[in-house]
Structure formats: structure tokens, C-alpha cells
Amino acid sequence: MTDILPQPDCSLKAVCEPLERCCLDQLEEPGSKRPPNTGARLWGRVRSKLLRHKLDPQTVETKNWHTDVIEMNGIKVEFSMKFTSRDMSLKRTPSKKQTGVFGVKISVVTKRERSKVPYIVRQCVEEVEKRGIEEVGIYRISGVATDIQALKAVFDANNKDILLMLSDMDINAIAGTLKLYFRELPEPLLTDRLYPAFMEGIALSDPAAKENCMMHLLRSLPDPNLITFLFLLEHLKRVAEKEPINKMSLHNLATVFGPTLLRPSEVESKAHLTSAADIWSHDVMAQVQVLLYYLQHPPISFAELKRNTLYFSTDV
């Protein structure tokens, strides 16, 4: 049986890619007595079934899991799926337990750890750069949800086996865990308070005015948020340097991470938006453009930003 449990924000393509690899790589091993192209044909049936369910209004409306089984030449693929409305999947829900890291304010985590960047961010980035920076579709291709949930549990529990588990885990699951951490922050990394200003700043047409505004907004972030953002920014730039191999350009990375780092919390969203469709579509392109702006910007130094803050203060 093959388990493919997609993340709430993933596309059908992201669900299908790991399943396709399973069908094509594992089901047609050399020396197999099965008819040729069994994996490809089975994958075609599974994809067709997923598409039919996605387009079926009754399937979309139900809140229950739907289980299906497809068999061919002695191979059985069993998969379960359900649809979650966009407004539900986009919620930022604070954790009731403040002892973990997921769903806990970044300032609380860094203070507890006595670190500038949360441990989970540092470790996931280190592992991706060690053995995943040349992985095709890194950060775009979803990891298996059960692996991601297992990593989430060990980071929340601060388990002593974290490093061993990371070294053995599929790199897409580690990349998915990093994305999940930022997605589950109770407030976006670039904060609810500054969100309207980021939207206004990226829309400015004058390059000098935009530069001043976007740098000023970074200086306005709390230190843990700013330091973590700059740390992630440099990492994503290093990933994009391998674009000829991993196919992940700066724009691709901004598309993946922009909404995750900027999307307002539930309370902020309700203040500006009136429907689930609006929550999904409103400002998404602008969120991508904000991150892309910083990714395309020359290296940004925390010390330099803070020095400029001092200059601004003395000039007033």
C-alpha cells in the first residue's frame, strides 16, 4: 500500500509527483515478471481517479475521508483523500502548548533557546544545504506528510534523536518541515502589523522610494524575526545559485515562501477579507513580489540595517 498524505496547501501536482515516482521507480524493478509499463499505466489510472474526485462537487463538499483502491497486475494502490476549504487550510492557529516550537511565537522560541535563529530553522537549512541543495524541485515538491509530522513531533519534544532522524529522513520531508514551521507561526514572520505597509511598499513605482520603504520595513521588524528572515534569505539565494541543477529560480522560491512568510493571521485576514476565495487570492502575487524583491536585492546586513536605524533616530 502506498501512503501519500499531502499538506493542506499543496497542489494536485505536488500530490501526484511522489506517487508517480513510487509507481515508476518501485513497481518496475529489473527482473520483474509483471507486464511492461505496469507502473506507468497504474499511475495513469490513479491520476485520472484523483482528477475525477477533484472535479466532483459532492467529493469537494464532504468533510469525510474518501478511500479508493486501484489494482493492476498484482499491484494494489490504496489512497485516502479529502478536501479542505482554503479558508481552513490557511489558518494560523497558535499552539496551546508553549513548550514546543510549532505554533509558538518566534520571540518566545529564540528567548527559550537563547539563540538568534530558532534551532529548527538552523538544522533544517543545514541539512538541505548539506544534501538537498541540488535536489530537483527542492521546496516545491512535497514530502510525505507522515515523515513531516514525525519531524514536527521530535522538534516539539526537543528529542535527543533529532540529528539522527534528520540525517536519515528524505530531504523533501525536511524541506516540508521548514515550510510547515513558518506556515504554523501564530503570526507571519514579517508580522501582521507591517503587512499593509509591505503591500503598499512593493507597489511603489519609484525605485528609490521603494528601496527606502522596503529597507525601513525590515528595520521595523522585531530582532528575532529580522535575523531569522535574513538567515532564510541567504539560504534561499544559495539554493537559487544551483538553479541549473535543482530548477528552483529566485521566482520559484519566492512563489513557495512568499505567502508562507507574509500571509496574515486569521484575525488580520478577517479584518480585510470577506470570503474564502478572497483569502486565497488577495495579495498573493504581491506577497511573492515582496520576497522576490529581497531575494534579488544585494546582501542585506543586520548590523547595517541597525546602524541606519540609529541614523534615522538621530536625524529626527
Side-chain angles (χ1 to χ4, degrees):
M1 183 176 75
T2 300
D3 292 325
I4 302 293
L5 302 176
Q7 293 301 301
D9 66 340
C10 71
S11 64
L12 178 63
K13 183 178 181 181
V15 179
C16 291
E17 282 177 332
L19 185 55
E20 181 177 20
R21 289 198 301 271
C22 173
C23 289
L24 299 183
D25 297 342
Q26 298 179 18
L27 303 184
E28 296 185 1
E29 299 173 351
S32 173
K33 296 181 180 179
R34 300 186 183 100
N37 298 324
T38 295
R41 290 167 58 206
L42 181 59
W43 152 241
R45 288 191 183 182
V46 172
R47 182 180 178 87
S48 176
K49 180 76 75 171
L50 286 170
L51 283 168
R52 283 203 302 272
H53 282 309
K54 183 179 181 180
L55 297 174
D56 181 5
Q58 291 184 344
T59 304
V60 174
E61 289 174 4
T62 182
K63 296 181 180 179
N64 300 323
W65 283 92
H66 176 82
T67 302
D68 217 326
V69 177
I70 295 179
E71 294 187 64
M72 180 184 290
N73 298 326
I75 301 170
K76 178 189 291 186
V77 175
E78 180 178 334
F79 56 94
S80 299
M81 61 186 295
K82 73 173 178 178
F83 290 90
T84 303
S85 62
R86 287 169 173 170
D87 56 329
M88 292 296 295
S89 65
L90 291 176
K91 279 185 177 180
R92 291 185 184 271
T93 306
S95 173
K96 295 179 180 179
K97 292 184 178 180
Q98 293 297 296
T99 55
V101 294
F102 283 84
V104 180
K105 288 184 178 180
I106 196 168
S107 58
V108 173
V109 173
T110 52
K111 184 177 181 180
R112 184 206 309 146
E113 295 178 351
R114 297 181 181 178
S115 63
K116 294 182 178 180
V117 176
Y119 178 72
I120 181 174
V121 176
R122 289 182 280 121
Q123 290 306 131
C124 288
V125 163
E126 180 180 328
E127 200 65 31
V128 168
E129 295 197 357
K130 185 189 300 181
R131 58 187 179 92
I133 202 164
E134 296 185 352
E135 183 81 10
V136 174
I138 188 68
Y139 289 120
R140 180 180 62 82
I141 294 177
S142 297
V144 177
T146 48
D147 291 343
I148 295 173
Q149 290 302 317
L151 283 172
K152 176 181 177 179
V154 296
F155 274 113
D156 267 339
N158 195 23
N159 192 297
K160 58 182 176 60
D161 295 326
I162 288 177
L163 295 181
L164 178 62
M165 195 169 178
L166 280 173
S167 65
D168 291 338
M169 191 65 73
D170 173 68
I171 199 64
N172 288 314
I174 295 171
T177 302
L178 181 63
K179 291 189 295 181
L180 182 65
Y181 169 73
F182 286 117
R183 190 164 62 244
E184 291 196 355
L185 284 174
E187 180 183 49
L189 187 66
L190 299 188
T191 73
D192 285 328
R193 179 177 64 86
L194 295 177
Y195 180 75
F198 277 113
M199 296 299 97
E200 292 173 6
I202 199 62
L204 293 173
S205 57
D206 180 75
K210 179 181 286 188
E211 166 80 8
N212 288 334
C213 178
M214 298 301 278
M215 290 304 110
H216 175 67
L217 289 172
L218 286 188
R219 286 189 290 269
S220 302
L221 288 169
D223 282 359
N225 299 58
L226 175 56
I227 296 171
T228 300
F229 178 67
L230 295 179
F231 178 82
L232 179 65
L233 206 61
E234 292 308 306
H235 165 62
L236 295 179
K237 288 181 180 181
R238 289 190 290 271
V239 171
E241 288 174 0
K242 300 290 185 178
E243 180 190 353
I245 303 172
N246 63 31
K247 312 302 181 187
M248 292 302 290
S249 63
L250 289 176
H251 188 274
N252 287 343
L253 291 165
T255 301
V256 172
F257 277 93
T260 297
L261 301 180
L262 277 143
R263 175 178 49 79
S265 63
E266 183 186 5
V267 174
E268 184 70 12
S269 296
K270 286 183 177 179
H272 293 281
L273 307 169
T274 57
S275 72
D278 287 337
I279 294 175
W280 177 256
S281 62
H282 186 80
D283 288 347
V284 168
M285 289 308 299
Q287 294 163 9
V288 172
Q289 289 303 313
V290 167
L291 182 55
L292 184 61
Y293 179 87
Y294 291 122
L295 284 171
Q296 293 175 334
H297 196 279
I300 303 169
S301 162
F302 175 80
E304 186 67 26
L305 282 172
K306 288 303 176 180
R307 226 179 352 257
N308 288 339
T309 300
L310 181 61
Y311 294 154
F312 274 112
S313 300
T314 55
D315 287 346
V316 174

